[in-house]
Amino acid sequence: GVSSLLMQDLLKEKREVEGWLDRAREQHKGLEERLAEAQKDLRRVSMEREDFAFKLSEANILTASLEARLQAPPTPRPDQAPEKRPAVQQAEEEARVLKERVNALEG
């Protein structure tokens, strides 16, 4: 009698512990899946950040180049000596468009 009662108690305890283990394993699996998703997101965001940094540096180089062209004295061309204004207007327009693109990238 006593030994069979003891065995029943031990089996009941064993089932409880196995239930806890099963729940812990499920939680662990769920956490591992969330971690994998987070790592994927981190890689994507990191790549987007690198892409953004590259585009920003490219835009800064183009802006500096345009600003240098705007500040340089216009060189008269033989075919267009009296009319230098269109080239300056075009450079100003390019600079304005680039600055808008840089602002859009930064925003």
Side-chain angles (χ1 to χ4, degrees):
V2 174
S3 67
S4 84
L5 281 176
L6 188 61
M7 282 298 286
Q8 285 177 345
D9 280 350
L10 287 173
L11 284 172
K12 184 180 167 194
E13 237 178 273
K14 182 182 176 219
R15 280 193 298 272
E16 278 181 33
V17 170
E18 285 171 344
W20 295 336
L21 278 172
D22 287 345
R23 283 191 293 280
R25 282 189 194 106
E26 285 173 28
Q27 282 182 329
H28 181 70
K29 187 179 174 194
L31 289 172
E32 280 185 331
E33 288 169 0
R34 283 172 48 199
L35 177 62
E37 282 297 311
Q39 287 171 333
K40 229 165 49 178
D41 288 344
L42 183 61
R43 280 193 298 273
R44 180 184 51 77
V45 167
S46 181
M47 285 170 59
E48 286 175 2
R49 187 177 165 275
E50 283 178 27
D51 190 45
F52 171 72
F54 176 75
K55 286 177 179 167
L56 188 59
S57 70
E58 223 177 27
N60 287 336
I61 291 167
L62 288 170
T63 301
S65 165
L66 283 171
E67 285 171 353
R69 280 172 49 196
L70 283 173
Q71 289 167 6
T75 53
R77 293 200 315 253
D79 65 326
Q80 209 181 32
E83 225 180 288
K84 293 170 236 148
R85 194 74 191 122
V88 174
Q89 282 177 329
Q90 181 185 352
E92 286 172 344
E93 176 65 14
E94 287 176 28
R96 187 187 60 73
V97 167
L98 270 174
K99 280 184 178 172
E100 285 174 6
R101 285 173 55 197
V102 168
N103 289 337
L105 281 173
E106 288 174 340

